[in-house]
Amino acid sequence: MKVFHCECGATLFFVNSLCLSCSRELGFVPELLDLVSFTSAEGATIETPLGHYKKCANYLREGVCNWLLPTGSDEELCQACRLNDVIPNLSEPENRQKWQDVEQAKRRLIYSLDALGLRVLTKADDPVRGLSFDIKQSIGTERVLTGHAEGLITLNLSEADAAEREKMRVSLNERYRTLLGHFRHEIGHYYWDRLIADPSEHEAFRELFGDERADYAQALKAHYAKPADPDYAAQFISHYAASHPWEDFAETFAHYLHMIDTLETAEHYGFASGPGTSRDFEALMTEWYSLTVALNSLNRSMGLPDAYPFAISQPVKQKLSFVHDLIQAARRASSEATFSSSTRAGPGTSELSASTAV
Ligand SMILES: [Zn+2]
Ligand SMILES: [Zn+2]
Ligand SMILES: [Zn+2]
């Protein structure tokens, strides 16, 4: 994530909706991947380098978003909020804060996907290949399972309760559990469907991750039935990744997003040398090793647990390289599709057309 700056010079963060230095309001313009500042007097016609923008309805009315959309749009919600199919029940007062935390993590996910050139489609854009989110809570015996199915990502709202989430993390013997991590994992399942559609890619996938045709339900049942193999890290990024090739891919994809976002942040603060999104894979990994060692040492100086509780073995590195190549290829395909569709002046056929033509 990059660092943002207000017109007044103050440093801003992705989630900010107010500059504490000059009291101007802030809004994120996804097409610019940037925050703009404005006065409340500007109301629904906020001036941006791309023309006039308005606040997302979840910004204006609910205070859970800080994104903007063009004033000319018929939509009321920004491109991130528009992906929601089910939102939490706001008659329960504590749900609003949880929803806000969920939306922050979701917007950070969408930012990374946009920055990588992986454009996200809504179900309205494409009912089959589009993406949507259900943010639900378990009611009575009806338990909500966090997961992905055919473009629908479901998140159990209890994951936004820090104490609940930590309890789950400990009981499942996990090293890392966050809202952002959940979204990055589930989107990995989504992109498996989108990016590994071709049978030739299935072969390359199976060589590294194993055969995904193995019975999924049975694999998960077996995984939870036996104690964690202490040597899992020799082959997998997490213990859960060992449960099934699909889970291995989703965990690896999530990890790749962790790396790219963290490297981008480090670059903006002067701790890394170039944008993670365009670097060659070996250079990216070299940078990543030294950054994470420093990151953990900083946390230990504060008496905190490691910020990066992972070790990357050679097989895991190969899997990350596979994800890197997959995303680079999708990015190239998307810019070619954007170019050819703009020269033909016809509609783009690729679902991965870049959100910003640069
Ligand atoms: Zn300011
Ligand atoms: Zn929004
Ligand atoms: Zn999964």
Side-chain angles (χ1 to χ4, degrees):
M1 176 67 64
K2 63 186 188 183
V3 181
F4 303 94
H5 296 283
C6 182
E7 270 176 40
C8 75
T11 299
L12 304 171
F13 302 101
F14 184 59
V15 297
N16 290 161
S17 52
L18 184 73
C19 173
L20 296 177
S21 294
C22 69
S23 300
R24 284 170 73 84
E25 288 190 75
L26 305 168
F28 184 80
V29 177
E31 293 82 1
L32 286 173
L33 289 178
D34 208 359
L35 279 169
V36 295
S37 63
F38 51 92
T39 62
S40 22
E42 286 179 65
T45 49
I46 299 158
E47 230 171 275
T48 82
L50 293 179
H52 286 122
Y53 272 62
K54 60 184 176 184
K55 285 180 181 176
C56 167
N58 281 346
Y59 183 168
L60 198 63
R61 291 199 282 268
E62 308 292 349
V64 299
C65 180
N66 68 339
W67 281 25
L68 308 179
L69 65 159
T71 26
S73 167
D74 294 337
E75 304 285 350
E76 282 210 300
L77 296 171
C78 73
Q79 66 176 61
C81 291
R82 221 178 298 154
L83 294 166
N84 289 342
D85 196 26
V86 176
I87 62 160
N89 173 6
L90 297 177
S91 65
E92 293 182 32
E94 67 274 18
N95 282 358
R96 184 174 295 273
Q97 182 59 53
K98 290 181 192 166
W99 185 32
Q100 187 176 14
D101 294 347
V102 167
E103 291 300 331
Q104 269 179 17
K106 203 185 86 200
R107 289 197 301 278
R108 198 167 182 117
L109 170 79
I110 305 299
Y111 169 94
S112 289
L113 299 175
D114 265 351
L116 284 167
L118 299 173
R119 189 188 154 206
V120 172
L121 293 173
T122 63
K123 289 273 182 204
D125 298 329
D126 187 331
V128 178
R129 294 182 300 177
L131 179 68
S132 66
F133 291 83
D134 278 3
I135 303 149
K136 303 201 287 202
Q137 63 195 126
S138 300
I139 296 165
T141 52
E142 198 194 315
R143 228 180 112 222
V144 173
L145 289 176
T146 296
H148 165 267
E150 290 166 5
L152 171 65
I153 290 176
T154 303
L155 180 87
N156 187 326
L157 189 65
S158 69
E159 294 289 346
D161 181 321
E164 275 299 310
R165 190 174 61 243
E166 180 62 7
K167 217 163 81 185
M168 284 290 279
R169 188 190 70 76
V170 172
S171 78
L172 293 169
N173 200 18
E174 291 174 347
R175 294 197 172 178
Y176 173 95
R177 192 178 184 93
T178 64
L179 282 173
L180 185 56
H182 278 304
F183 282 137
R184 286 178 173 165
H185 172 99
E186 300 309 338
I187 207 76
H189 288 303
Y190 174 75
Y191 280 110
W192 194 93
D193 288 346
R194 298 280 73 80
L195 304 179
I196 313 185
D198 196 88
S200 65
E201 280 144 7
H202 282 145
E203 283 317 308
F205 169 82
R206 282 170 199 154
E207 254 175 55
L208 289 170
F209 294 86
D211 195 333
E212 82 288 354
R213 289 166 296 188
D215 189 306
Y216 180 74
Q218 214 155 53
L220 283 206
K221 215 171 131 192
H223 173 78
Y224 287 119
K226 61 178 193 270
D229 174 2
D231 295 328
Y232 75 83
Q235 299 292 330
F236 303 98
I237 190 63
S238 68
H239 180 234
Y240 187 56
S243 62
H244 187 276
W246 278 336
E247 296 308 334
D248 194 6
F249 181 81
E251 286 287 88
T252 308
F253 195 94
H255 206 83
Y256 185 78
L257 295 185
H258 293 335
M259 288 171 53
I260 294 300
D261 190 1
T262 308
L263 280 168
E264 191 191 16
T265 308
E267 182 214 341
H268 283 276
Y269 282 98
F271 299 121
S273 64
T277 48
S278 61
R279 238 171 312 180
D280 99 3
F281 183 72
E282 282 303 324
L284 190 148
M285 287 310 295
T286 306
E287 194 107 60
W288 186 238
Y289 286 127
S290 54
L291 182 69
T292 52
V293 168
L295 192 61
N296 284 349
S297 302
L298 288 170
N299 263 31
R300 288 171 201 175
S301 294
M302 285 294 297
L304 289 167
D306 285 353
Y308 187 71
F310 302 96
I312 297 184
S313 62
Q314 198 54 32
V316 170
K317 191 176 161 191
Q318 283 179 310
K319 293 175 198 177
L320 284 165
S321 174
F322 177 85
V323 169
H324 176 80
D325 291 345
L326 208 57
I327 291 176
Q328 296 297 321
R331 178 206 280 278
R332 280 194 300 276
S334 90
S335 54
E336 278 159 23
T338 304
F339 178 73
S340 64
S341 71
S342 62
T343 49
R344 277 188 279 109
T349 49
S350 170
E351 76 207 42
L352 295 164
S353 57
S355 60
T356 41
V358 276

